[in-house]
Every structure is written in C-alpha cells, then in structure tokens.
Amino acid sequence: MKFILDNWMLIAVALSAATMLMMPMIKGAGQGALTPDGAVQLINREKAVLIDICEPNEFAAGHAIGAKNIPMGQLESKLSSTVKNKALPVILVCQSGARSSRALGIAKKLGYENVQSLAGGLGAWRSANLPVEKA
C-alpha cells in the first residue's frame, strides 16, 4: 500500500498510457471498421453497396470500381434514394477512413442495419492492390 501512495503519479501515467493504447482497438471494433479483403468478400457474397463519401473532385481523381459517390454533406439526404434496401450491407469509403468513420453514425441514424467503414479508406484499398478507376 505504501508503494501505491508513494508512486501514485507513476501509476496514473501508466494507466492513462494503457488506456490511450487500447482506444484505437476499442474504437475500431465498435465502429464497424472493415479491411479491404473483408469489403471484397461482402461485395462478392452479400452484394454490398460501396458508397464513396469524398467530394466530387476527389471521386473523379480515383475511386474503387463500382463505388457510388455521395459527398459527406449530402449523405443524409441522398443515401436513402441510392440504397433503398436498408438490410443490404453498405460500405462507406473516403480517402483515409476518417470521414467514413464519422459518416457511419449518420447511416445508422437513417436506419441502415449493416453499415461499415473501410479502415484506411482508399489508401488501404490501393495498398491491397484492388482496382481503382477514374471518372
């Protein structure tokens, strides 16, 4: 007990460091992060819809083949008309994965049951040597 009282600051630093190291793992698991290989499996097996939430100029510069473009600002108004079946798997993609993680909440709020964000975004898609096209 004396050790804990004498070294309470070191223990607090160790606990906060451990928490910060675990946050990305916990956050990724809870938010539906998906690997590029997992995305391809969902597309092939369950007819998942790939939604690229980048701005039109980013989308034109390069996007995953078959992706539909709905910019982040228009996601709430256009997702329902683009993907009518809310039970279908939806994969959200952006350049790095940051915007698609935020868009996940919007899609779930709209009632989409099986929506996931592509971890690493288009960069991870390209790193996995998956096809990209330009518009």
Side-chain angles (χ1 to χ4, degrees), residues 15-29:
L15 288 174
S16 64
T19 302
M20 285 190 244
L21 287 171
M22 295 298 288
M23 267 321 222
M25 198 178 344
I26 293 167
K27 208 173 172 188

Side-chain angles (χ1 to χ4, degrees), residues 27-50:
K27 208 173 172 188
Q31 296 218 353
L34 185 66
T35 64
D37 293 334
V40 170
Q41 286 180 358
L42 268 179
I43 292 167
N44 290 338
R45 293 182 183 166
E46 298 182 37
K47 306 293 184 216
V49 180
L50 199 56

Side-chain angles (χ1 to χ4, degrees), residues 48-67:
V49 180
L50 199 56
I51 303 291
D52 191 316
I53 61 163
C54 293
E55 294 302 316
N57 58 343
E58 293 173 310
F59 184 78
H63 58 272
I65 290 181

